[in-house]
């Protein structure tokens, strides 16, 4: 038989354990315990979560590192959002953000459904944006014509209801994406982010000999 004080101590410890369990559950839900770099874990959590967008931008930079670019590269960020990418670029690279909202003083405001961004760049990034467009492959083709390299992501989730819930408009398949790239550029590599989302690295038209960004 447990004496009264031992019983009270057990109850107290159980209460503390329950509080810790609830607190860690809450921290997990708001993303505090979610690892950024664990791809398998991230696979269950691709969604409108800034931490995952940061992970995606980091992955995009890692993929780009494969082509070993030098200093002074000119970067465009189509659909820049919170400009996470900006913080990951080497300090001597220039950054031009495009979005339909003014995300910073230097944001170039463009609605990709009606107008294409202007300018030639060494690298164009389109991360987490094509899902929101009426004709995503047209923006892709435009970017390929105006960049030496293009890094973009796409979520191929096939269920229309779930796409609608995310606010996604487009639904293109791997073939359509591949055909678009092959017609104006070349796929250098692609990397799985998780579930249905991929990041592609492509060579654009301006990487052809004699063409300059
Ligand atoms: C999911 S956020 C991604 C932001 C950022 N690229 C990132 O990965 O963190 C999508 C971004 O695309 C922009 N966007 C969506 N539709 C657009 C359109 N038609 N024209 C221009 N920007 C658009 C939104 O304003 C938003 O900043």
């Amino acid at each position: 038989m447990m004496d009264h004080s031992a019983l009270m101590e057990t109850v107290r410890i159980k209460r503390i354990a329950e509080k810790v369990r609830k607190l860690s559950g809450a921290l997990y839900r708001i993303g505090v315990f979610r690892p950024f770099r664990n791809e398998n874990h991230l696979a269950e959590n691709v969604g409108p979560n800034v931490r995952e967008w940061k992970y995606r931008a980091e992955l995009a930079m890692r993929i780009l590192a494969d082509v070993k670019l030098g200093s002074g590269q000119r970067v465009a960020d189509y659909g820049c959002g919170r400009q996470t990418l900006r913080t990951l670029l080497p300090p001597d690279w220039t950054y031009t953000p495009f979005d339909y909202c003014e995300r910073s003083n230097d944001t170039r405001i463009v609605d990709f459904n009606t107008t294409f961004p202007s300018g030639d760049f060494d690298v164009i990034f389109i991360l987490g944006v094509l899902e929101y467009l009426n004709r995503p492959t047209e923006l892709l083709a435009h970017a390929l014509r105006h960049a030496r390299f293009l890094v973009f992501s796409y979520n191929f989730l096939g269920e229309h209801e779930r796409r609608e819930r995310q606010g996604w408009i487009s639904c293109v398949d791997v073939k359509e994406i591949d055909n678009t790239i092959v017609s104006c550029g070349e796929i250098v590599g692609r990397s799985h982010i998780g579930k249905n989302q991929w990041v592609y690295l492509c060579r654009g038209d301006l990487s052809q000999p004699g063409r300059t960004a």
Side-chain angles (χ1 to χ4, degrees):
M1 272 282 278
M2 244 188 226
D3 67 22
H4 184 259
S5 62
L7 188 66
M8 292 308 289
E9 186 59 14
T10 309
V11 169
R12 198 177 70 83
I13 289 168
K14 277 188 178 164
R15 279 195 188 137
I16 292 171
E18 179 61 11
K19 277 185 187 159
V20 169
R21 194 185 64 75
K22 281 188 179 157
L23 181 66
S24 60
L27 289 174
Y28 178 84
R29 276 193 296 282
I30 62 170
V32 172
F33 286 162
R34 289 180 195 169
F36 294 171
R37 291 172 188 275
N38 179 337
E39 299 198 9
N40 293 332
H41 187 86
L42 195 98
E44 291 153 26
N45 294 299
V46 172
N49 181 314
V50 174
R51 288 180 190 282
E52 285 138 25
W53 295 356
K54 177 155 192 258
Y55 172 85
R56 183 173 57 208
E58 287 172 343
L59 181 63
M61 287 304 290
R62 283 208 295 279
I63 292 173
L64 184 65
D66 287 350
V67 290
K68 301 202 181 348
L69 296 173
S71 58
Q73 301 295 314
R74 285 165 298 167
V75 167
D77 191 4
Y78 287 8
C80 60
R82 295 173 190 229
Q83 306 189 357
T84 309
L85 188 68
R86 186 174 213 149
T87 63
L88 303 175
L89 300 179
D92 64 343
W93 290 21
T94 59
Y95 175 83
T96 306
F98 294 85
D99 208 292
Y100 63 13
C101 310
E102 188 172 16
R103 303 289 190 174
S104 55
N105 290 340
D106 60 350
T107 306
R108 299 202 188 163
I109 298 184
V110 183
D111 178 353
F112 304 141
N113 282 324
T114 57
T115 319
F116 290 142
S118 60
D120 289 347
F121 295 91
D122 295 301
V123 190
I124 296 176
F125 288 88
I126 315 178
L127 301 174
V129 179
L130 297 171
E131 292 84 351
Y132 298 92
L133 305 183
N134 296 329
R135 293 175 305 280
T137 52
E138 291 183 12
L139 186 69
L140 262 191
H142 169 84
L144 284 162
R145 283 193 294 271
H146 292 274
R148 288 171 57 218
F149 293 97
L150 166 66
V151 185
F152 74 90
S153 71
Y154 195 71
N155 193 315
F156 293 99
L157 172 71
E159 296 161 51
H160 282 272
E161 268 183 22
R162 285 180 59 200
R163 293 190 80 81
E164 269 176 26
R165 250 184 276 141
Q166 301 270 7
W168 296 345
I169 294 167
S170 76
C171 185
V172 294
D173 60 21
V174 178
K175 251 192 187 159
E176 280 175 87
I177 295 274
D178 286 358
N179 288 343
T180 305
I181 297 165
V182 169
S183 66
C184 10
E186 180 194 350
I187 297 176
V188 178
R190 58 186 135 200
S191 189
H192 190 211
I193 298 183
K195 280 202 173 168
N196 306 289
Q197 194 174 193
W198 289 78
V199 171
Y200 286 67
L201 168 63
C202 309
R203 214 176 284 282
D205 212 19
L206 300 184
S207 67
Q208 304 286 336
R211 304 286 316 273
T212 46

